[in-house]
Amino acid sequence: MEDLKTLSEKALLEVFDGIPMVEISRAVFNEGLDMVSALATKTNFLASNGEARRELKQNAVSLNKVKVTEEKVITAEDLINNQFLLLQKGKKNYYVIRVV
């Protein structure tokens, strides 16, 4: 698979087709988005902050296909095409955050 960060917006939207997506404002994102908020509070990808922390402790969560911990703070450098983040839990559960 080619690097996600090199895909165009159109190609990304095709890749992400059928994956649940939520939009968050750039202002919220610029304040610093921690992994628990990204997984639960801001997106509802996971049901609760507690579940988000459990999954992170079990090393079950990836951001843009890279495993992350609870300490990870998402920054502009993590954005794909300056607007997308791909969350993954386990092998088959994906979720896209679009920063607008």
Side-chain angles (χ1 to χ4, degrees), residues 4-45:
L4 288 172
K5 293 193 177 198
T6 63
L7 294 175
S8 69
E9 181 176 355
K10 182 176 185 282
L12 282 167
L13 290 173
E14 287 173 9
V15 170
F16 296 158
D17 187 44
I19 297 175
M21 185 182 296
V22 68
E23 292 184 349
I24 65 169
S25 75
R26 195 159 293 270
V28 167
F29 175 78
N30 288 340
E31 290 169 9
L33 188 58
D34 64 277
M35 283 309 301
V36 172
S37 293
L39 293 166
T41 315
K42 302 290 184 199
T43 66
N44 295 321
F45 176 44

Side-chain angles (χ1 to χ4, degrees), residues 52-70:
R53 285 190 187 90
R54 269 192 306 283
E55 296 293 345
L56 288 161
K57 279 187 177 78
Q58 294 171 4
N59 205 28
V61 176
S62 297
L63 172 67
N64 301 337
K65 298 298 219 172
V66 177
K67 294 282 186 190
V68 292
T69 63
E70 187 176 342

